[in-house]
Amino acid sequence: MASSFTVCRLHTIGRGSLVKCLQKVDTFLHRNIGTNVVAVQEKNGFKSLYAVHAERQEQAERSVLISCHSRTNEKNFLKYIANYGDIQKYFFYESFGMYAVVEFANQESVASLLEGTAIPSISHESLVPFKSRLLSMRNLDSRDVLNQPSIKKGQAQTSIPINELIQRLSKEESIDQQITSLTEAYQLTEENCRLRFLVCSLLKDIAASFFPECTIMPFGSSVNGFGKLGCDLDMFLDLDGISGKNATMPKSGLFLEYQMKRANFERIVTQNILSVIGECVDQFGPGCVGVQKILNARCPLVRFTHQPSGFQCDLTANNRVAMKSTELLYLYGELDPRVRHLVFTVRCWARAHGITSSIPGAWISNFSLTIMVLFFLQRRSPPIIPTLDHLRDLAGPEDKSVIEDNDCTFVSDFSKIQLESNTETLEQLLCEFFEFYASFCFSKLSINIRKGKEQNKLPAVPLHIQNPFETTLNVSKNVNASQVDRFVALCQESSWLIQQNITAPSRGGTKGNATITPWGVSTLLLPSQVAGIKSRKRRKFEPTSERIKSLLESLKNTNNQPNQS
Ligand code: GTP
Ligand code: MG
């Protein structure tokens, strides 16, 4: 019984989300092109992250990014572009101006479009003669601009403001629906994903001047399934293809080898490469601003803003372990839809209360928080997801991966993973998550998703979350004791709060402009009373009615609150 349920779960729940995803892609294609183009995902099986990457990268290489006037006529725009080849897909978006992403059916069309593209003629400035696939659509005929219907509103690439989200969730009928709705509102859209791969591809064009065989791949939340609209774009400059394509050495006789510059340490090579690429991005990269080279960090990186997409970008090299963590998180997220829903809700809750932040500091990172959710799901009875050790035991020879002496092996074939028959609802899981961490003994125990069990730790470290692959490292090394205290206090408060607001208020008589009463997950996103708490002692909370009253007050000023991204 248990095993048949397991198989059923794997093949129905997982496929359910996949089919939903396919429908989304299909709708997107129909809306934009009006033809039935082959869907991105396979219908009869999961795709590994590498397969998704390969497909998306290939799409990005056939694409261009065009800045256009918001009053540009859409029909004329497409007619002009179509002169250069078949348009496979396109969409418009807004990010401090209107932009279009156009994907051609083949790369030759991109080459022919670039061939027909003019160099700007300016007299008061000098141009860096680097041509990229970031273009501007100009129009010399002003009548055409003014007299015809312009582009319909482009999609925003940021998530909705938190107060709008609270209102939206308050209209839902159950906590499970609230959680699903939160995920839908915050997750990366198909278009945003495409844009991320396109930015990587544009960057690759710069790096390819030195390393023609390199690739630049997104990692982290852009591709691990837990990305929120507006999250940063982590990129990995992969140069392994160069040494990977080595000619076979003869057993005897003559052969040629490249003369290559040498350095004492791989870290120095990485720093030098990033320094040069960072300089090129700064000096030649159209739309790349605020370039910072952070080369002395544990993981050297180049940070900049890509203005046309609005993405905050971190470019790293030689960061294979992070790619593996990304792949692992992606796998966990695909195993059971509850994983992604819970991670989104907890990430959103943590951000609303300033537990996480986009500014580096002593906070808990989203990566650490995600591992905490995964650990909690491994600790359910029966567990919702398997341990990393179990995933390693299921691995075949093709999955073997050792990076800098770290065993990063785990199974990539989803069909080998048998899930247990846990039927807990999202509501139960969210309540239990807060309970679990409200009473977790952070001072003595470490979180370990490899074993799926707490381990003893040194008391001096406030929060210990074992790095899944570099097992001697703590991914939350930066977190100080007061941040752990705040986290625990908020878990206690949220656990109490959700119990008080577990059911939707009756809607009788609340028609028209009536205020929507926050309940369930919405109440968890409102300002907390324990934000500045210093001690781990449980507090006595004021009555629910008082709390709700103050929450409602805070909602009244909806337009004055800042957008939290
Ligand atoms: P966002 O906050 O949405 O950007 O989440 P993220 O998962 O992308 O986190 P972040 O940008 O901080 O890091 C990108 C990726 O680097 C993560 O997904 C991990 O794969 C990896 N990473 C981040 N922090 C650590 C760490 O402390 N140790 C290790 N090994 N990997 C890390
Ligand atoms: Mg990131």
Side-chain angles (χ1 to χ4, degrees), residues 290-309:
V291 180
Q292 288 171 272
K293 296 190 225 168
I294 309 171
L295 303 177
N296 288 325
R298 188 177 83 80
C299 178
L301 65 111
V302 175
R303 177 166 289 169
F304 59 94
T305 303
H306 184 257
Q307 257 181 348
S309 60

Side-chain angles (χ1 to χ4, degrees), residues 172-342:
E172 298 292 352
E173 301 290 330
S174 69
I175 290 189
D176 279 48
Q177 280 172 12
Q178 286 188 324
I179 293 175
T180 314
S181 174
L182 183 147
T183 311
E184 276 166 11
Y186 271 15
Q187 70 192 350
L188 298 183
T189 58
E190 166 64 22
E191 292 83 351
N192 196 273
C193 266
R194 282 173 182 273
L195 190 54
R196 283 169 192 269
F197 275 87
L198 178 52
V199 172
C200 288
S201 175
L202 296 178
L203 252 283
K204 187 227 149 166
D205 289 350
I206 298 178
S209 325
F210 298 97
F211 306 108
E213 289 155 283
C214 76
T215 50
I216 293 191
M217 288 183 279
F219 70 97
S221 60
S222 295
V223 282
N224 66 15
F226 303 120
K228 178 184 155 197
L229 277 170
C231 70
D232 67 357
L233 172 57
D234 303 293
M235 292 181 278
F236 168 62
L237 170 65
D238 185 2
L239 299 166
D240 276 10
I242 298 169
S243 44
K245 286 181 195 155
N246 210 359
T248 18
M249 294 264 259
K251 294 233 163 59
S252 60
L254 298 178
F255 72 98
L256 285 170
E257 67 178 19
Y258 289 101
Q259 285 199 18
M260 286 177 161
K261 206 127 188 145
R262 288 149 202 240
N264 287 342
F265 299 101
E266 200 166 345
R267 180 175 166 85
I268 295 177
V269 176
T270 304
Q271 285 171 325
N272 292 344
I273 291 172
L274 281 178
S275 175
V276 172
I277 304 290
E279 203 56 38
C280 291
V281 170
D282 195 15
Q283 303 296 334
F284 311 145
C288 301
V289 297
V291 180
Q292 288 171 272
K293 296 190 225 168
I294 309 171
L295 303 177
N296 288 325
R298 188 177 83 80
C299 178
L301 65 111
V302 175
R303 177 166 289 169
F304 59 94
T305 303
H306 184 257
Q307 257 181 348
S309 60
F311 295 145
Q312 171 76 43
C313 302
D314 279 351
L315 176 66
T316 57
N318 198 12
N319 195 10
R320 295 214 149 264
V321 179
M323 290 300 292
K324 271 291 174 191
S325 321
T326 302
E327 205 187 323
L328 179 70
L329 264 49
Y330 170 83
L331 183 144
Y332 275 130
E334 289 290 301
L335 283 182
D336 187 305
R338 289 173 293 180
V339 179
R340 284 186 70 233
H341 288 311
L342 202 63

Side-chain angles (χ1 to χ4, degrees), residues 385-403:
I385 49 170
T387 65
L388 178 50
D389 271 352
H390 182 67
L391 295 178
R392 184 207 49 210
D393 295 343
L394 293 175
E398 68 286 0
D399 298 320
K400 182 122 191 89
S401 166
V402 177
I403 303 168

Side-chain angles (χ1 to χ4, degrees), residues 433-448:
F433 172 85
F434 292 128
E435 274 292 310
F436 183 79
Y437 284 114
S439 54
F440 191 86
C441 187
F442 285 104
S443 59
K444 291 198 182 125
L445 300 174
S446 150
I447 288 164
N448 183 326

Side-chain angles (χ1 to χ4, degrees), residues 309-560:
S309 60
F311 295 145
Q312 171 76 43
C313 302
D314 279 351
L315 176 66
T316 57
N318 198 12
N319 195 10
R320 295 214 149 264
V321 179
M323 290 300 292
K324 271 291 174 191
S325 321
T326 302
E327 205 187 323
L328 179 70
L329 264 49
Y330 170 83
L331 183 144
Y332 275 130
E334 289 290 301
L335 283 182
D336 187 305
R338 289 173 293 180
V339 179
R340 284 186 70 233
H341 288 311
L342 202 63
V343 169
F344 265 97
T345 309
V346 171
R347 276 188 175 208
C348 183
W349 163 84
R351 190 61 201 271
H353 296 294
I355 292 175
T356 53
S357 165
S358 57
I359 307 158
W363 345 110
I364 299 174
S365 68
N366 271 330
F367 181 57
S368 298
L369 200 60
T370 306
I371 296 190
M372 288 168 95
V373 177
L374 298 179
F375 182 71
F376 160 75
L377 294 172
Q378 288 176 336
R379 300 299 288 143
R380 302 309 301 151
S381 181
I384 291 181
I385 49 170
T387 65
L388 178 50
D389 271 352
H390 182 67
L391 295 178
R392 184 207 49 210
D393 295 343
L394 293 175
E398 68 286 0
D399 298 320
K400 182 122 191 89
S401 166
V402 177
I403 303 168
E404 292 157 17
D405 295 335
N406 300 301
D407 185 6
C408 300
T409 306
F410 61 91
V411 65
S412 59
D413 180 354
F414 287 72
S415 68
K416 287 188 188 166
I417 306 169
Q418 299 266 303
L419 298 177
E420 300 206 44
S421 56
N422 179 308
T423 53
E424 285 172 295
T425 62
L426 289 169
E427 177 189 310
Q428 286 168 320
L429 290 172
L430 187 63
C431 297
E432 292 290 336
F433 172 85
F434 292 128
E435 274 292 310
F436 183 79
Y437 284 114
S439 54
F440 191 86
C441 187
F442 285 104
S443 59
K444 291 198 182 125
L445 300 174
S446 150
I447 288 164
N448 183 326
I449 60 163
R450 182 163 276 286
K451 301 258 170 273
K453 272 195 204 118
E454 297 85 356
Q455 313 275 289
N456 291 331
K457 72 160 187 70
L458 295 173
V461 186
L463 178 61
H464 194 280
I465 301 174
Q466 192 196 56
N467 186 320
F469 298 117
E470 295 161 295
T471 50
T472 55
L473 302 180
N474 172 12
V475 297
S476 53
K477 201 175 91 184
N478 60 313
V479 180
N480 65 24
S482 73
Q483 289 303 319
V484 179
D485 287 350
R486 283 192 71 236
F487 177 75
V488 172
L490 277 159
C491 284
Q492 289 169 355
E493 184 194 49
S494 298
S495 165
W496 174 85
L497 201 53
I498 194 122
Q499 302 295 341
Q500 307 302 306
N501 294 283
I502 208 109
T503 45
S506 142
R507 295 272 155 75
T510 53
K511 279 191 179 160
N513 290 335
T515 317
I516 298 156
T517 310
W519 74 279
V521 178
S522 309
T523 57
L524 301 179
L525 304 178
L526 290 160
S528 153
Q529 296 183 329
V530 295
I533 196 155
K534 289 269 183 319
S535 93
R536 283 200 177 135
K537 284 188 191 147
R538 278 179 188 257
R539 283 168 59 106
K540 269 193 144 188
F541 300 107
E542 60 186 75
T544 326
S545 54
E546 283 304 309
R547 171 113 179 97
I548 296 296
K549 233 162 84 186
S550 70
L551 301 176
L552 279 173
E553 279 306 311
S554 68
L555 261 184
K556 275 189 189 154
N557 241 349
T558 50
N559 292 336
N560 299 337

